[in-house]
Amino acid sequence: MGQINLDIVTPERRVFQGQVDMIIAPGSEGFLGILPSHTPLITSLRIGIARIKNNDEQIKVAIGGGFMEVQPDKIIILANTAELGNEIDISRARAAKERAEERIATFENGGVASTEFDLLRARTSLQRALTRLKAADDDGTWRPGEKGLEE
Amino acid sequence: MEGLREIKRRIRSIHSTQQITRAMNMVAAAKLRKTQHLVTAIEPYVSNIEELIGDITKANGNLGHQFFRQKSEPGRSGIIVITGDRGLTGGHNSNIIKKALEGGDSPVFLCVGRKGRDYFVKRGYDVRAEYIGLPDEPGIRQAKEISENAIELFEGGDISELYVAYTEFITTVERKPHLLRILPIDKNIFMKNGKAGSLFLYEPGVEGVLNKLLPHYVEIQIYRGLVESKVSEFAARMMAMDTATDNADEMIEKLTLDFNRARQAEITQEISEIVGGAEALK
């Protein structure tokens, strides 16, 4: 089976470029698996994990929403943010997750000066943090002996 | 001629100013080096998103999205002016303010940076929003906030056109102020770029995609303005402080010359006084 050229770019950098067998992307209407010679397609992406399959390898990419343009010979993903699984700073993602959870909790307890909008924002950052943890193969629960996570 | 002590005091004062300008020059140079990559990093993203919009407009002849639509009666324009928070950047801030003022009659301003805010508020212009304290490396998040406010004004009919006034970073010594229209979006430019004939599937529908894509495009244009302006600001400060340091050198040199001359004159005078005194005693 052939391969297709994949390009993942964010405003800050090019995250991935190369030939791949397949990509499974988090489309706004559900996950989409794209193989070479796919019908031209344009879709928005939601926050979630994209899986790139290449030979027997799988690379996970945490996508923070964006767009995907599929053409028979190439796929372009324009992501607001994108990080390869092995680049993700787990402790930072955890801190972000805890911060977001805290903010949601204060809101639900009728906390100070929070608006609907802030809640929405906190929920989005929670989602993003969880996605990043998942892409880094970390389920967010505390495990003793942190080092084991990186292997 | 000034007294010796006075000249010495001035040399010392210029010297300490020079130390400050030299430090500022080095700080600006370091920040420039650190942020410069952002200007080039955004290019592939911009060309890809423009290609994407091009493909969509080309494949769907009559798109009636309101971001494409020219308002039937021209109203006020909204201008996002991107200046720095601080001065000592040569003409950086005043050049961009001058550029922004070209943007039509009684515009609405959204000011990024303290310098621009102060200028427009002091002169009684209609300033609807201000964003002070932009970080050295602007992120999409800041651009998003600004674009949401601007789009609100556009959709609410307060403004019929949206511009961004920013400084393009070409090289360290070459920077150019621009006044770029970002709304309504000129569909014709994209029509030319799009590849013809590709029929796309859309999820969730053409309208659904455009409703997300076009605001994001506005956001990206603002983000690019922020990044270009910030990097330009560092370059401008670096150059201005470099010149200031050189000028200080020149002044110190001249004053040192004056100082030596004055000292010599004093010695000559003393000698002639002594000689004169000795003569008188004979």
Side-chain angles (χ1 to χ4, degrees):
Chain A
M1 199 170 57
Q3 289 199 312
I4 185 160
N5 193 43
L6 172 69
D7 220 346
I8 303 180
V9 287
T10 74
E12 272 129 33
R13 69 203 174 101
R14 174 170 261 136
V15 178
F16 183 93
Q17 185 174 36
Q19 296 284 322
V20 302
D21 290 334
M22 179 186 186
I23 177 162
I24 302 174
S28 54
E29 311 286 287
F31 280 95
L32 297 155
I34 311 286
L35 291 163
S37 317
H38 193 282
T39 314
L41 167 84
I42 293 172
T43 178
S44 51
L45 300 177
R46 57 178 175 76
I47 299 170
I49 293 174
R51 291 186 167 77
I52 301 169
K53 302 207 166 162
N54 215 348
N55 303 322
D56 289 324
E57 234 187 328
Q58 178 173 275
I59 304 168
K60 289 191 205 170
V61 191
I63 304 270
F67 303 91
M68 176 166 71
E69 177 173 13
V70 179
Q71 287 176 13
D73 56 337
K74 65 174 179 178
I75 304 171
I76 298 166
I77 291 186
L78 297 166
N80 294 330
T81 59
E83 276 175 287
L84 299 179
N86 56 16
E87 299 174 343
I88 291 168
D89 182 341
I90 294 180
S91 53
R92 240 191 68 205
R94 276 204 187 154
K97 170 179 163 261
E98 276 152 28
R99 232 178 9 250
E101 280 171 343
E102 225 166 84
R103 237 176 285 147
I104 292 170
T106 25
F107 182 85
E108 279 165 357
N109 300 330
V112 275
S114 312
T115 60
E116 267 323 300
F117 186 64
D118 287 334
L119 179 67
L120 194 71
R121 229 198 274 197
R123 286 215 171 115
T124 318
S125 31
L126 177 61
Q127 215 180 346
R128 206 174 293 135
L130 287 174
T131 304
R132 289 169 67 218
L133 286 172
K134 215 166 142 200
D137 280 326
D138 183 280
D139 54 15
T141 51
W142 176 263
R143 270 178 270 177
E146 280 291 39
K147 280 169 206 144
L149 292 173
E150 299 284 351
E151 52 181 31
Chain B
M1 195 171 283
E2 292 159 287
L4 277 182
R5 204 197 282 251
E6 173 65 12
I7 299 177
K8 206 168 195 173
R9 199 188 58 76
R10 282 186 56 198
I11 291 179
R12 213 177 297 132
S13 133
I14 290 169
H15 187 72
S16 63
T17 306
Q18 188 187 31
Q19 279 178 328
I20 296 169
T21 58
R22 188 173 287 146
M24 286 182 78
N25 170 270
M26 289 193 306
V27 170
K31 284 186 174 175
L32 175 65
R33 222 172 309 130
K34 222 178 88 194
T35 51
Q36 210 173 344
H37 72 275
L38 289 176
V39 174
T40 41
I42 192 180
E43 285 314 320
Y45 193 87
V46 171
S47 60
N48 276 319
I49 196 171
E50 285 177 347
E51 200 184 308
L52 179 56
I53 296 173
D55 288 349
I56 298 177
T57 47
K58 196 88 175 182
N60 303 272
N62 289 318
L63 284 172
H65 196 277
Q66 60 155 333
F67 281 10
F68 287 133
R69 220 175 298 141
Q70 197 76 244
K71 292 264 162 78
S72 46
E73 44 194 280
R76 304 173 75 184
S77 44
I79 304 176
I80 301 168
V81 192
I82 307 172
T83 62
D85 283 337
R86 278 175 298 162
L88 295 180
T89 47
H92 174 74
N93 290 323
S94 55
N95 285 346
I96 199 66
I97 288 171
K98 221 179 290 161
K99 195 81 197 171
L101 287 171
E102 293 171 11
D105 298 329
S106 68
V108 172
F109 287 104
L110 294 96
C111 297
V112 183
R114 182 171 288 124
K115 285 286 162 187
R117 193 270 315 261
D118 289 353
Y119 181 94
F120 291 110
V121 167
K122 200 182 284 168
R123 283 162 185 76
Y125 285 99
D126 189 356
V127 175
R128 293 292 174 90
E130 53 183 67
Y131 313 90
I132 311 285
L134 190 72
D136 287 346
E137 289 185 46
I140 274 289
R141 202 182 315 153
Q142 284 88 26
K144 196 172 207 131
E145 192 190 334
I146 299 167
S147 84
E148 274 165 8
N149 293 346
I151 288 174
E152 210 170 285
L153 289 174
F154 183 77
E155 287 180 337
D158 287 41
I159 57 174
S160 62
E161 287 183 320
L162 178 67
Y163 292 86
V164 59
Y166 72 99
T167 312
E168 184 193 0
F169 176 83
I170 304 167
T171 62
T172 311
V173 288
E174 205 186 352
R175 296 169 303 274
K176 201 166 167 232
H178 285 285
L179 186 64
L180 176 76
R181 194 182 82 177
I182 48 183
L183 278 178
I185 298 167
D186 189 354
K187 201 159 54 171
N188 295 330
I189 295 174
F190 292 108
M191 292 290 259
K192 273 182 230 134
N193 294 338
K195 282 181 294 297
S198 293
L199 280 175
F200 288 95
L201 292 175
Y202 297 92
E203 266 186 59
V206 189
E207 295 288 318
V209 170
L210 282 180
N211 282 339
K212 286 186 178 168
L213 185 59
L214 296 182
H216 183 61
Y217 182 56
V218 172
E219 215 168 276
I220 286 299
Q221 303 243 63
I222 294 172
Y223 171 74
R224 175 150 71 164
L226 294 179
V227 168
E228 296 260 359
S229 298
K230 200 76 198 175
V231 174
S232 296
E233 183 189 334
F234 292 141
R237 181 166 296 124
M238 189 180 98
M239 298 303 291
M241 290 301 103
D242 192 48
T243 319
T245 308
D246 286 352
N247 287 347
D249 263 334
E250 238 166 72
M251 281 172 82
I252 287 174
E253 207 169 294
K254 190 181 153 285
L255 284 171
T256 310
L257 204 69
D258 284 352
F259 178 80
N260 289 337
R261 212 172 272 155
R263 193 180 48 135
Q264 240 164 16
E266 202 166 281
I267 293 167
T268 313
Q269 200 186 344
E270 255 170 52
I271 291 173
S272 68
E273 272 166 16
I274 292 168
V275 172
E279 280 300 308
L281 283 179
K282 272 182 189 166

